[in-house]
Each structure stands twice: as structure tokens, then as C-alpha cells.
Amino acid sequence: MKLTFRWYGENDPVSLEKIRQIPKMSGIVSAVYDVPPGQVWSEESILKIKSLAIKNGLEFEVVESVPVAEEIKYGGENAPMLIENYCENLRRLAKHGVKCVCYNFMPVFDWLRSELEHQNEDGSNSLAYNEETVLSLDPLTSELSLPGWDESYTKNELEGLIKKYKALGKEGLFKNLSVFLNKVIPVAHEVGINMAIHPDDPPWDIFGLPRIITDEESIDRFLSIVPLKENGLTFCTGSLGASKNNDLVKMAKKYADRIHFLHLRNIKITSDREFYEVGHPTDCGSIDMLGIVMSLVEGGFDGYVRPDHGRMIWGETGRYGYGLYDRALGATYIAGLFEATERLLKNDK
Ligand code: DNO
């Protein structure tokens, strides 16, 4: 496995100089942020990220995300052209050494939380989700703003989009995902990029919008659409783990060879559809982090790993979920889990 760290570019308060000092860190996970979803990325922008990373002793082999334009997801008339742009981005990224691309197929909103500064007993704060609060929010007027959301829509555009997806439903969305995969995966295969879809976060419908990568059944269906290795997963433990119906230790074993990117983070589930984010170790929350890593190592997992959302600790402020300190603690914990598991497994044989 290769340990990586998400970096949001030159405006990220967490600098590459700091990231490189985290033990065992091999590279960054980043993206081109200077063009809207659907457009082709300039080679210059790609090369700039790469050269900044290299200057700091880091690799740039993982992109998160090449975003999928809404029109591809709802199947608009420009979808074929936008899918071609997507393929072109993969060719360009492969040319400059990228080996894994993370993306998602969530309509309109990416990850969703109801609280950005949930106060924890130890004085830290973290992101939290409470379904009741979410249901009381109106997505058209809500002031809540998250780093993963595209905030460029006007109220009317957003209203139109939500209507389209409601009419499309889960089956329609799955069909459009198939169209996308049937075009994109053969290109990924040809240029040597592993595609890694990110599960829906949280893994259930929100605001009446369909969400389709949520559990074992939907992942089985997704993987069988194009049964090539390059059609793979980002295994995000905090996303899938928010639903108690998902047995992550079992799923990690089952999908180990199709998991190209691992987002490891822990959450504490406080009741049905209610949780807050905690430190990475197993004992801090509801997710069996060690069990998941053991399953992956046993299953032959050989992908990229990154610590996911951290709490804000030691007075740090910054991008919610993406401060330095708690993610760095997470990274060393993850490195320890892998070191121990790999060593034990080797001695077993
Ligand atoms: C949240 C992230 C997501 C993820 C996208 C992938 O912190 O895990 O925003 O990057 O869903 O496309």
C-alpha cells in the first residue's frame, strides 16, 4: 500500500512542506481546481501539481476527483461530449504519471453533514450528521456550505436539477452510470488508470435525490457493469460505515482486489442516521479499523490509502475535516495497522 494525503492546492492552509514530514508519506492526492466540472484539464495545470509535489519529495499518482458533470449523471444532451472530455482527462493524467482516479456519482450534492463544529468532550470539534436536522434544511435556501459542494448554482438551476433527478430515480441514474462506465473504463484500461468510485456519503437518499452506491448489493451491481479491474472502488469506511447494515470487514475482504483507494476514518454512531466523526483508532468510534485492514491485507489489497476527515484539535482552524494535526495522527495510526498486519501475515505463512 502507499500512504497518501489529500492536498487542495496552493490555497490549502496545509502546506506540502508539512505533509512531507508525516512518517511514511509517499504522495499527495489532489486535483486541478481551475476549471469547472466537465472541461478538459490543461497539461500545464496537471504538471504544476506534479512538479510542486516532486519538489517536496512527494508523488502525485492519485487524483481526487475528476468530477463527473451533472449532465452526464442526469443524461443530458451534452453527455456524450462531456464523457469524451472525461476520457481526455484520463489520457492526460496517465501521461503525467497518475495511476488512480477517484470520482463519485452523487447527484447535485457530494458529502453531507448537518454540523461542522460538533463539540466533543475532549475539547476538539468535528463534523456531525443528524437526519432530523438535515430534513429540516431546505437545500435551496440553506446557508450550510461544505468544501465538497458545488456552490456555483443559482436557486433556479438547483431547483431544476433536483426535479430532474427525482424524475430519473435510482434506475435511471444507474443506467446513466452504465453509459459512463462503458465509455470511460475501456480508456482507463488502455492508459493504465484504476478508476475508484466513491460511495455515497451518507449511504442513503437525501432531499429525495437518488443515491446508488450505498451497500453490498449496489456495489456488486456496479462492479458487474464492467467486469474489468480498472472499474473499481474507493472504500470509504466513514461513508459506508454510517449504515449499520454494511459489514465493512466482510466487504473489505470481498472487494480487496477491486479496491484501489482506501479512505480510512472512524465515526461514532449515536443512533439510527446520527453520527459524529472521531479520531481514527477503532476504540474511538463504531468502525473496526483493524478488522478492515486485516481483511484487506489478507485479500491482497495493493492500493493507495489516505487518512480521511480529521477532527480539529490543538486549536487548529481551517478546512473542515481537512486540518493537518488529526489527519497526521490518523496517518501514523494507519501506517502502524498495516505494518503490524503485514508482518503478522508474513510470519503466518
Ligand atoms: C469528502 C470526500 C469526498 C470525495 C468525493 C469523491 O471528504 O471524501 O468529497 O472527494 O466524493 O468524488
Side-chain angles (χ1 to χ4, degrees):
M1 74 96 171
K2 275 188 176 181
L3 190 61
T4 58
F5 208 78
R6 193 167 193 182
W7 183 64
Y8 279 95
E10 286 173 291
N11 295 328
D12 193 328
V14 182
S15 67
L16 292 172
E17 287 79 3
K18 288 183 177 147
I19 295 173
R20 78 178 300 186
Q21 292 176 352
I22 302 168
K24 286 210 65 164
M25 197 48 67
S26 77
I28 51 159
V29 171
S30 196
V32 168
Y33 295 105
D34 58 15
V35 291
Q39 301 212 357
V40 175
W41 291 0
S42 74
E43 295 200 38
E44 201 188 334
S45 300
I46 297 168
L47 277 169
K48 179 144 188 233
I49 304 172
K50 186 175 175 175
S51 70
L52 288 171
I54 287 173
K55 224 195 265 165
N56 285 283
L58 295 161
E59 295 171 335
F60 174 44
E61 295 185 345
V62 186
V63 167
E64 176 175 352
S65 310
V66 179
V68 179
E70 288 304 326
E71 213 171 330
I72 296 179
K73 288 183 263 183
Y74 68 71
E77 59 180 285
N78 292 314
M81 179 269 286
L82 293 163
I83 292 177
E84 185 36 53
N85 285 354
Y86 201 98
C87 293
E88 178 56 23
N89 279 332
L90 296 188
R91 291 185 198 102
R92 292 181 181 199
L93 289 168
K95 182 171 160 197
H96 299 297
V98 168
K99 298 192 166 60
C100 177
V101 167
C102 172
Y103 67 103
N104 73 72
F105 221 76
M106 290 178 245
V108 193
F109 304 107
D110 192 329
W111 54 296
L112 181 78
R113 296 290 178 273
S114 54
E115 204 183 346
L116 301 174
E117 292 180 8
H118 174 81
Q119 292 303 314
N120 301 317
E121 260 175 23
D122 62 4
S124 64
N125 68 74
S126 58
L127 296 152
Y129 183 92
N130 175 305
E131 182 95 338
E132 229 175 274
T133 313
V134 170
L135 294 181
S136 71
L137 293 172
D138 177 354
L140 296 175
T141 53
S142 164
E143 307 247 293
L144 192 70
S145 151
L146 290 175
W149 289 29
D150 181 344
E151 286 166 12
S152 61
Y153 300 118
T154 63
K155 188 172 178 265
N156 278 350
E157 281 169 344
L158 198 57
E159 215 163 6
L161 269 179
I162 293 182
K163 245 194 218 149
K164 275 200 179 96
Y165 282 112
K166 279 187 177 166
L168 194 65
K170 278 191 204 293
E171 277 310 307
L173 190 60
F174 236 113
K175 199 170 138 251
N176 293 342
L177 175 57
S178 302
V179 172
F180 173 76
L181 293 175
N182 279 308
K183 291 275 183 215
V184 166
I185 299 298
V187 175
H189 178 71
E190 188 188 308
V191 300
I193 283 191
N194 283 326
M195 295 296 293
I197 197 167
H198 190 287
D200 304 334
D201 180 6
W204 51 77
D205 295 358
I206 47 160
F207 304 131
L209 293 164
R211 293 195 149 199
I212 53 172
I213 307 293
T214 55
D215 56 12
E216 207 176 320
E217 194 187 336
S218 55
I219 291 176
D220 283 347
R221 184 174 175 191
F222 163 80
L223 292 174
S224 68
I225 295 176
V226 181
L228 284 175
K229 167 191 121 300
E230 288 80 5
N231 183 30
L233 306 171
T234 296
F235 197 72
C236 177
T237 58
S239 302
L240 289 167
S243 164
K244 281 193 168 154
N245 299 330
N246 286 331
D247 180 343
L248 298 196
V249 174
K250 174 181 167 222
M251 288 163 83
K253 184 88 179 263
K254 177 171 172 184
Y255 301 127
D257 61 341
R258 295 287 282 275
I259 295 173
H260 304 309
F261 192 19
L262 179 60
H263 284 183
L264 275 178
R265 70 181 160 84
N266 201 351
I267 55 174
K268 178 89 183 164
I269 300 178
T270 37
S271 91
D272 192 30
R273 300 199 169 184
E274 187 183 76
F275 60 85
Y276 63 96
E277 300 187 353
V278 295
H280 285 71
T282 302
D283 286 352
C284 298
S286 309
I287 295 186
D288 183 359
M289 307 291 275
L290 172 62
I292 291 166
V293 169
M294 285 168 72
S295 277
L296 286 166
V297 172
E298 277 168 15
F301 165 77
D302 182 28
Y304 299 90
V305 183
R306 73 166 178 84
D308 206 351
H309 305 173
R311 301 160 301 148
M312 285 300 176
I313 62 172
W314 303 334
E316 186 178 20
T317 54
R319 191 180 271 271
Y320 292 112
Y322 287 95
L324 171 64
Y325 304 144
D326 202 35
R327 282 191 302 151
L329 291 179
T332 56
Y333 170 70
I334 291 167
L337 288 184
F338 272 91
E339 183 178 333
T341 307
E342 283 168 359
R343 176 89 59 94
L344 285 174
L345 205 78
K346 235 188 246 157
N347 288 346
D348 262 7
K349 281 186 181 161

PDB file of all heavy atoms in Angstrom, residues 49-81:
ATOM      1  N   ILE A  49       0.982  20.717 -10.484  1.00  0.00           N
ATOM      2  CA  ILE A  49       0.772  19.959  -9.230  1.00  0.00           C
ATOM      3  C   ILE A  49       1.902  18.947  -9.072  1.00  0.00           C
ATOM      4  O   ILE A  49       2.503  18.805  -8.008  1.00  0.00           O
ATOM      5  CB  ILE A  49      -0.573  19.192  -9.247  1.00  0.00           C
ATOM      6  CG1 ILE A  49      -1.734  20.145  -9.511  1.00  0.00           C
ATOM      7  CG2 ILE A  49      -0.777  18.427  -7.935  1.00  0.00           C
ATOM      8  CD1 ILE A  49      -3.065  19.445  -9.724  1.00  0.00           C
ATOM      9  N   LYS A  50       2.190  18.254 -10.188  1.00  0.00           N
ATOM     10  CA  LYS A  50       3.224  17.218 -10.129  1.00  0.00           C
ATOM     11  C   LYS A  50       4.583  17.811  -9.727  1.00  0.00           C
ATOM     12  O   LYS A  50       5.277  17.265  -8.861  1.00  0.00           O
ATOM     13  CB  LYS A  50       3.336  16.533 -11.487  1.00  0.00           C
ATOM     14  CG  LYS A  50       4.279  15.371 -11.472  1.00  0.00           C
ATOM     15  CD  LYS A  50       4.273  14.633 -12.781  1.00  0.00           C
ATOM     16  CE  LYS A  50       5.339  13.537 -12.741  1.00  0.00           C
ATOM     17  NZ  LYS A  50       5.297  12.707 -13.930  1.00  0.00           N
ATOM     18  N   SER A  51       4.932  18.947 -10.325  1.00  0.00           N
ATOM     19  CA  SER A  51       6.272  19.463 -10.027  1.00  0.00           C
ATOM     20  C   SER A  51       6.351  20.007  -8.602  1.00  0.00           C
ATOM     21  O   SER A  51       7.369  19.858  -7.925  1.00  0.00           O
ATOM     22  CB  SER A  51       6.719  20.497 -11.067  1.00  0.00           C
ATOM     23  OG  SER A  51       5.958  21.655 -10.915  1.00  0.00           O
ATOM     24  N   LEU A  52       5.242  20.579  -8.100  1.00  0.00           N
ATOM     25  CA  LEU A  52       5.257  21.028  -6.700  1.00  0.00           C
ATOM     26  C   LEU A  52       5.412  19.834  -5.752  1.00  0.00           C
ATOM     27  O   LEU A  52       6.145  19.894  -4.762  1.00  0.00           O
ATOM     28  CB  LEU A  52       3.971  21.789  -6.366  1.00  0.00           C
ATOM     29  CG  LEU A  52       3.840  23.193  -6.981  1.00  0.00           C
ATOM     30  CD1 LEU A  52       2.437  23.747  -6.766  1.00  0.00           C
ATOM     31  CD2 LEU A  52       4.882  24.135  -6.373  1.00  0.00           C
ATOM     32  N   ALA A  53       4.720  18.746  -6.096  1.00  0.00           N
ATOM     33  CA  ALA A  53       4.813  17.545  -5.253  1.00  0.00           C
ATOM     34  C   ALA A  53       6.246  17.026  -5.265  1.00  0.00           C
ATOM     35  O   ALA A  53       6.842  16.799  -4.197  1.00  0.00           O
ATOM     36  CB  ALA A  53       3.841  16.476  -5.755  1.00  0.00           C
ATOM     37  N   ILE A  54       6.797  16.872  -6.453  1.00  0.00           N
ATOM     38  CA  ILE A  54       8.147  16.308  -6.576  1.00  0.00           C
ATOM     39  C   ILE A  54       9.173  17.163  -5.838  1.00  0.00           C
ATOM     40  O   ILE A  54      10.067  16.650  -5.155  1.00  0.00           O
ATOM     41  CB  ILE A  54       8.516  16.130  -8.068  1.00  0.00           C
ATOM     42  CG1 ILE A  54       7.726  14.946  -8.623  1.00  0.00           C
ATOM     43  CG2 ILE A  54      10.017  15.901  -8.261  1.00  0.00           C
ATOM     44  CD1 ILE A  54       7.851  14.739 -10.097  1.00  0.00           C
ATOM     45  N   LYS A  55       8.994  18.475  -5.953  1.00  0.00           N
ATOM     46  CA  LYS A  55       9.917  19.382  -5.257  1.00  0.00           C
ATOM     47  C   LYS A  55       9.927  19.104  -3.752  1.00  0.00           C
ATOM     48  O   LYS A  55      10.890  19.382  -3.050  1.00  0.00           O
ATOM     49  CB  LYS A  55       9.439  20.822  -5.495  1.00  0.00           C
ATOM     50  CG  LYS A  55      10.596  21.770  -5.823  1.00  0.00           C
ATOM     51  CD  LYS A  55      10.172  23.192  -5.700  1.00  0.00           C
ATOM     52  CE  LYS A  55       9.727  23.778  -7.039  1.00  0.00           C
ATOM     53  NZ  LYS A  55       8.999  25.027  -6.897  1.00  0.00           N
ATOM     54  N   ASN A  56       8.807  18.573  -3.261  1.00  0.00           N
ATOM     55  CA  ASN A  56       8.712  18.277  -1.827  1.00  0.00           C
ATOM     56  C   ASN A  56       8.865  16.786  -1.521  1.00  0.00           C
ATOM     57  O   ASN A  56       8.375  16.302  -0.498  1.00  0.00           O
ATOM     58  CB  ASN A  56       7.385  18.802  -1.291  1.00  0.00           C
ATOM     59  CG  ASN A  56       7.418  20.317  -1.151  1.00  0.00           C
ATOM     60  OD1 ASN A  56       8.000  20.839  -0.220  1.00  0.00           O
ATOM     61  ND2 ASN A  56       6.851  21.020  -2.124  1.00  0.00           N
ATOM     62  N   GLY A  57       9.452  16.071  -2.436  1.00  0.00           N
ATOM     63  CA  GLY A  57       9.717  14.651  -2.197  1.00  0.00           C
ATOM     64  C   GLY A  57       8.466  13.788  -2.199  1.00  0.00           C
ATOM     65  O   GLY A  57       8.444  12.706  -1.607  1.00  0.00           O
ATOM     66  N   LEU A  58       7.421  14.263  -2.841  1.00  0.00           N
ATOM     67  CA  LEU A  58       6.159  13.517  -2.830  1.00  0.00           C
ATOM     68  C   LEU A  58       5.741  13.133  -4.254  1.00  0.00           C
ATOM     69  O   LEU A  58       6.077  13.829  -5.214  1.00  0.00           O
ATOM     70  CB  LEU A  58       5.051  14.379  -2.203  1.00  0.00           C
ATOM     71  CG  LEU A  58       5.238  14.719  -0.717  1.00  0.00           C
ATOM     72  CD1 LEU A  58       4.379  15.924  -0.318  1.00  0.00           C
ATOM     73  CD2 LEU A  58       4.894  13.513   0.157  1.00  0.00           C
ATOM     74  N   GLU A  59       4.974  12.052  -4.376  1.00  0.00           N
ATOM     75  CA  GLU A  59       4.460  11.649  -5.693  1.00  0.00           C
ATOM     76  C   GLU A  59       3.075  12.259  -5.919  1.00  0.00           C
ATOM     77  O   GLU A  59       2.407  12.668  -4.971  1.00  0.00           O
ATOM     78  CB  GLU A  59       4.340  10.122  -5.744  1.00  0.00           C
ATOM     79  CG  GLU A  59       5.666   9.402  -5.648  1.00  0.00           C
ATOM     80  CD  GLU A  59       5.518   7.890  -5.475  1.00  0.00           C
ATOM     81  OE1 GLU A  59       4.463   7.433  -4.972  1.00  0.00           O
ATOM     82  OE2 GLU A  59       6.460   7.173  -5.819  1.00  0.00           O
ATOM     83  N   PHE A  60       2.674  12.269  -7.163  1.00  0.00           N
ATOM     84  CA  PHE A  60       1.304  12.678  -7.493  1.00  0.00           C
ATOM     85  C   PHE A  60       0.727  11.595  -8.407  1.00  0.00           C
ATOM     86  O   PHE A  60       0.799  11.685  -9.619  1.00  0.00           O
ATOM     87  CB  PHE A  60       1.306  14.050  -8.169  1.00  0.00           C
ATOM     88  CG  PHE A  60      -0.047  14.496  -8.663  1.00  0.00           C
ATOM     89  CD1 PHE A  60      -1.184  14.348  -7.877  1.00  0.00           C
ATOM     90  CD2 PHE A  60      -0.198  15.067  -9.921  1.00  0.00           C
ATOM     91  CE1 PHE A  60      -2.445  14.761  -8.330  1.00  0.00           C
ATOM     92  CE2 PHE A  60      -1.449  15.491 -10.394  1.00  0.00           C
ATOM     93  CZ  PHE A  60      -2.562  15.328  -9.588  1.00  0.00           C
ATOM     94  N   GLU A  61       0.192  10.536  -7.764  1.00  0.00           N
ATOM     95  CA  GLU A  61      -0.307   9.403  -8.546  1.00  0.00           C
ATOM     96  C   GLU A  61      -1.814   9.214  -8.397  1.00  0.00           C
ATOM     97  O   GLU A  61      -2.395   8.361  -9.047  1.00  0.00           O
ATOM     98  CB  GLU A  61       0.414   8.116  -8.097  1.00  0.00           C
ATOM     99  CG  GLU A  61       1.907   8.153  -8.406  1.00  0.00           C
ATOM    100  CD  GLU A  61       2.628   6.842  -8.092  1.00  0.00           C
ATOM    101  OE1 GLU A  61       2.065   5.982  -7.380  1.00  0.00           O
ATOM    102  OE2 GLU A  61       3.775   6.700  -8.560  1.00  0.00           O
ATOM    103  N   VAL A  62      -2.414   9.996  -7.496  1.00  0.00           N
ATOM    104  CA  VAL A  62      -3.856   9.829  -7.260  1.00  0.00           C
ATOM    105  C   VAL A  62      -4.576  11.158  -7.435  1.00  0.00           C
ATOM    106  O   VAL A  62      -4.161  12.172  -6.856  1.00  0.00           O
ATOM    107  CB  VAL A  62      -4.133   9.317  -5.821  1.00  0.00           C
ATOM    108  CG1 VAL A  62      -5.612   9.000  -5.641  1.00  0.00           C
ATOM    109  CG2 VAL A  62      -3.288   8.101  -5.496  1.00  0.00           C
ATOM    110  N   VAL A  63      -5.644  11.135  -8.212  1.00  0.00           N
ATOM    111  CA  VAL A  63      -6.469  12.333  -8.354  1.00  0.00           C
ATOM    112  C   VAL A  63      -7.804  12.108  -7.651  1.00  0.00           C
ATOM    113  O   VAL A  63      -8.442  11.073  -7.803  1.00  0.00           O
ATOM    114  CB  VAL A  63      -6.704  12.686  -9.842  1.00  0.00           C
ATOM    115  CG1 VAL A  63      -7.817  13.716  -9.975  1.00  0.00           C
ATOM    116  CG2 VAL A  63      -5.429  13.244 -10.464  1.00  0.00           C
ATOM    117  N   GLU A  64      -8.172  13.089  -6.845  1.00  0.00           N
ATOM    118  CA  GLU A  64      -9.494  13.088  -6.206  1.00  0.00           C
ATOM    119  C   GLU A  64      -9.962  14.523  -6.252  1.00  0.00           C
ATOM    120  O   GLU A  64      -9.345  15.377  -5.605  1.00  0.00           O
ATOM    121  CB  GLU A  64      -9.380  12.621  -4.757  1.00  0.00           C
ATOM    122  CG  GLU A  64     -10.709  12.681  -4.012  1.00  0.00           C
ATOM    123  CD  GLU A  64     -10.615  12.104  -2.586  1.00  0.00           C
ATOM    124  OE1 GLU A  64      -9.570  11.534  -2.232  1.00  0.00           O
ATOM    125  OE2 GLU A  64     -11.587  12.256  -1.856  1.00  0.00           O
ATOM    126  N   SER A  65     -10.968  14.732  -7.035  1.00  0.00           N
ATOM    127  CA  SER A  65     -11.642  13.887  -8.000  1.00  0.00           C
ATOM    128  C   SER A  65     -11.460  14.471  -9.394  1.00  0.00           C
ATOM    129  O   SER A  65     -11.199  15.663  -9.529  1.00  0.00           O
ATOM    130  CB  SER A  65     -13.147  13.908  -7.735  1.00  0.00           C
ATOM    131  OG  SER A  65     -13.463  13.670  -6.392  1.00  0.00           O
ATOM    132  N   VAL A  66     -11.716  13.606 -10.402  1.00  0.00           N
ATOM    133  CA  VAL A  66     -12.099  14.189 -11.686  1.00  0.00           C
ATOM    134  C   VAL A  66     -13.628  14.185 -11.600  1.00  0.00           C
ATOM    135  O   VAL A  66     -14.261  13.126 -11.684  1.00  0.00           O
ATOM    136  CB  VAL A  66     -11.621  13.356 -12.896  1.00  0.00           C
ATOM    137  CG1 VAL A  66     -12.084  14.027 -14.184  1.00  0.00           C
ATOM    138  CG2 VAL A  66     -10.110  13.176 -12.885  1.00  0.00           C
ATOM    139  N   PRO A  67     -14.227  15.362 -11.359  1.00  0.00           N
ATOM    140  CA  PRO A  67     -15.672  15.361 -11.097  1.00  0.00           C
ATOM    141  C   PRO A  67     -16.487  14.997 -12.346  1.00  0.00           C
ATOM    142  O   PRO A  67     -16.089  15.332 -13.467  1.00  0.00           O
ATOM    143  CB  PRO A  67     -15.967  16.805 -10.675  1.00  0.00           C
ATOM    144  CG  PRO A  67     -14.744  17.594 -10.906  1.00  0.00           C
ATOM    145  CD  PRO A  67     -13.624  16.689 -11.290  1.00  0.00           C
ATOM    146  N   VAL A  68     -17.581  14.300 -12.132  1.00  0.00           N
ATOM    147  CA  VAL A  68     -18.463  13.921 -13.230  1.00  0.00           C
ATOM    148  C   VAL A  68     -19.512  15.022 -13.380  1.00  0.00           C
ATOM    149  O   VAL A  68     -20.231  15.324 -12.425  1.00  0.00           O
ATOM    150  CB  VAL A  68     -19.150  12.565 -12.922  1.00  0.00           C
ATOM    151  CG1 VAL A  68     -20.090  12.172 -14.051  1.00  0.00           C
ATOM    152  CG2 VAL A  68     -18.107  11.481 -12.675  1.00  0.00           C
ATOM    153  N   ALA A  69     -19.576  15.626 -14.554  1.00  0.00           N
ATOM    154  CA  ALA A  69     -20.518  16.736 -14.770  1.00  0.00           C
ATOM    155  C   ALA A  69     -21.955  16.277 -14.519  1.00  0.00           C
ATOM    156  O   ALA A  69     -22.314  15.130 -14.814  1.00  0.00           O
ATOM    157  CB  ALA A  69     -20.374  17.243 -16.199  1.00  0.00           C
ATOM    158  N   GLU A  70     -22.773  17.177 -13.982  1.00  0.00           N
ATOM    159  CA  GLU A  70     -24.173  16.814 -13.696  1.00  0.00           C
ATOM    160  C   GLU A  70     -24.868  16.272 -14.938  1.00  0.00           C
ATOM    161  O   GLU A  70     -25.648  15.331 -14.876  1.00  0.00           O
ATOM    162  CB  GLU A  70     -24.961  18.026 -13.171  1.00  0.00           C
ATOM    163  CG  GLU A  70     -24.619  18.453 -11.756  1.00  0.00           C
ATOM    164  CD  GLU A  70     -24.769  17.368 -10.703  1.00  0.00           C
ATOM    165  OE1 GLU A  70     -25.666  16.514 -10.809  1.00  0.00           O
ATOM    166  OE2 GLU A  70     -23.950  17.374  -9.761  1.00  0.00           O
ATOM    167  N   GLU A  71     -24.563  16.873 -16.078  1.00  0.00           N
ATOM    168  CA  GLU A  71     -25.274  16.468 -17.298  1.00  0.00           C
ATOM    169  C   GLU A  71     -24.992  15.006 -17.668  1.00  0.00           C
ATOM    170  O   GLU A  71     -25.826  14.355 -18.300  1.00  0.00           O
ATOM    171  CB  GLU A  71     -24.896  17.418 -18.444  1.00  0.00           C
ATOM    172  CG  GLU A  71     -26.057  17.589 -19.373  1.00  0.00           C
ATOM    173  CD  GLU A  71     -25.875  18.671 -20.422  1.00  0.00           C
ATOM    174  OE1 GLU A  71     -25.171  19.668 -20.164  1.00  0.00           O
ATOM    175  OE2 GLU A  71     -26.449  18.500 -21.506  1.00  0.00           O
ATOM    176  N   ILE A  72     -23.815  14.512 -17.284  1.00  0.00           N
ATOM    177  CA  ILE A  72     -23.536  13.075 -17.507  1.00  0.00           C
ATOM    178  C   ILE A  72     -24.439  12.264 -16.580  1.00  0.00           C
ATOM    179  O   ILE A  72     -25.042  11.278 -16.974  1.00  0.00           O
ATOM    180  CB  ILE A  72     -22.054  12.747 -17.211  1.00  0.00           C
ATOM    181  CG1 ILE A  72     -21.128  13.478 -18.187  1.00  0.00           C
ATOM    182  CG2 ILE A  72     -21.831  11.237 -17.244  1.00  0.00           C
ATOM    183  CD1 ILE A  72     -19.631  13.239 -17.947  1.00  0.00           C
ATOM    184  N   LYS A  73     -24.569  12.743 -15.341  1.00  0.00           N
ATOM    185  CA  LYS A  73     -25.333  11.971 -14.354  1.00  0.00           C
ATOM    186  C   LYS A  73     -26.834  11.961 -14.692  1.00  0.00           C
ATOM    187  O   LYS A  73     -27.487  10.945 -14.568  1.00  0.00           O
ATOM    188  CB  LYS A  73     -25.090  12.528 -12.941  1.00  0.00           C
ATOM    189  CG  LYS A  73     -23.682  12.206 -12.427  1.00  0.00           C
ATOM    190  CD  LYS A  73     -23.451  12.698 -11.010  1.00  0.00           C
ATOM    191  CE  LYS A  73     -22.754  14.027 -11.004  1.00  0.00           C
ATOM    192  NZ  LYS A  73     -22.442  14.545  -9.670  1.00  0.00           N
ATOM    193  N   TYR A  74     -27.364  13.097 -15.118  1.00  0.00           N
ATOM    194  CA  TYR A  74     -28.805  13.053 -15.441  1.00  0.00           C
ATOM    195  C   TYR A  74     -29.064  12.719 -16.910  1.00  0.00           C
ATOM    196  O   TYR A  74     -30.205  12.616 -17.343  1.00  0.00           O
ATOM    197  CB  TYR A  74     -29.544  14.312 -14.984  1.00  0.00           C
ATOM    198  CG  TYR A  74     -29.218  15.616 -15.684  1.00  0.00           C
ATOM    199  CD1 TYR A  74     -29.622  15.844 -16.998  1.00  0.00           C
ATOM    200  CD2 TYR A  74     -28.555  16.635 -15.014  1.00  0.00           C
ATOM    201  CE1 TYR A  74     -29.332  17.047 -17.630  1.00  0.00           C
ATOM    202  CE2 TYR A  74     -28.258  17.838 -15.629  1.00  0.00           C
ATOM    203  CZ  TYR A  74     -28.651  18.036 -16.946  1.00  0.00           C
ATOM    204  OH  TYR A  74     -28.375  19.228 -17.566  1.00  0.00           O
ATOM    205  N   GLY A  75     -27.993  12.534 -17.683  1.00  0.00           N
ATOM    206  CA  GLY A  75     -28.166  12.087 -19.068  1.00  0.00           C
ATOM    207  C   GLY A  75     -28.661  13.172 -20.007  1.00  0.00           C
ATOM    208  O   GLY A  75     -29.553  12.925 -20.823  1.00  0.00           O
ATOM    209  N   GLY A  76     -28.098  14.355 -19.913  1.00  0.00           N
ATOM    210  CA  GLY A  76     -28.489  15.456 -20.797  1.00  0.00           C
ATOM    211  C   GLY A  76     -27.926  15.301 -22.205  1.00  0.00           C
ATOM    212  O   GLY A  76     -27.134  14.390 -22.464  1.00  0.00           O
ATOM    213  N   GLU A  77     -28.299  16.217 -23.080  1.00  0.00           N
ATOM    214  CA  GLU A  77     -27.893  16.038 -24.483  1.00  0.00           C
ATOM    215  C   GLU A  77     -26.386  16.200 -24.711  1.00  0.00           C
ATOM    216  O   GLU A  77     -25.839  15.670 -25.670  1.00  0.00           O
ATOM    217  CB  GLU A  77     -28.670  16.995 -25.403  1.00  0.00           C
ATOM    218  CG  GLU A  77     -28.456  18.455 -25.041  1.00  0.00           C
ATOM    219  CD  GLU A  77     -29.240  19.394 -25.959  1.00  0.00           C
ATOM    220  OE1 GLU A  77     -28.816  19.573 -27.108  1.00  0.00           O
ATOM    221  OE2 GLU A  77     -30.265  19.947 -25.483  1.00  0.00           O
ATOM    222  N   ASN A  78     -25.718  16.937 -23.828  1.00  0.00           N
ATOM    223  CA  ASN A  78     -24.261  17.085 -23.988  1.00  0.00           C
ATOM    224  C   ASN A  78     -23.450  15.976 -23.323  1.00  0.00           C
ATOM    225  O   ASN A  78     -22.221  16.025 -23.312  1.00  0.00           O
ATOM    226  CB  ASN A  78     -23.794  18.421 -23.393  1.00  0.00           C
ATOM    227  CG  ASN A  78     -24.310  19.581 -24.212  1.00  0.00           C
ATOM    228  OD1 ASN A  78     -24.232  19.554 -25.434  1.00  0.00           O
ATOM    229  ND2 ASN A  78     -24.863  20.586 -23.544  1.00  0.00           N
ATOM    230  N   ALA A  79     -24.157  14.991 -22.769  1.00  0.00           N
ATOM    231  CA  ALA A  79     -23.436  13.942 -22.030  1.00  0.00           C
ATOM    232  C   ALA A  79     -22.332  13.271 -22.865  1.00  0.00           C
ATOM    233  O   ALA A  79     -21.205  13.129 -22.378  1.00  0.00           O
ATOM    234  CB  ALA A  79     -24.413  12.913 -21.472  1.00  0.00           C
ATOM    235  N   PRO A  80     -22.611  12.880 -24.133  1.00  0.00           N
ATOM    236  CA  PRO A  80     -21.543  12.207 -24.901  1.00  0.00           C
ATOM    237  C   PRO A  80     -20.276  13.065 -25.027  1.00  0.00           C
ATOM    238  O   PRO A  80     -19.157  12.561 -24.869  1.00  0.00           O
ATOM    239  CB  PRO A  80     -22.181  11.981 -26.277  1.00  0.00           C
ATOM    240  CG  PRO A  80     -23.656  11.984 -26.020  1.00  0.00           C
ATOM    241  CD  PRO A  80     -23.875  12.926 -24.879  1.00  0.00           C
ATOM    242  N   MET A  81     -20.459  14.368 -25.253  1.00  0.00           N
ATOM    243  CA  MET A  81     -19.298  15.256 -25.395  1.00  0.00           C
ATOM    244  C   MET A  81     -18.554  15.373 -24.039  1.00  0.00           C
ATOM    245  O   MET A  81     -17.329  15.332 -23.982  1.00  0.00           O
ATOM    246  CB  MET A  81     -19.812  16.617 -25.874  1.00  0.00           C
ATOM    247  CG  MET A  81     -18.769  17.687 -26.064  1.00  0.00           C
ATOM    248  SD  MET A  81     -18.525  18.666 -24.573  1.00  0.00           S
ATOM    249  CE  MET A  81     -19.996  19.690 -24.550  1.00  0.00           C
TER     250      MET A  81
END
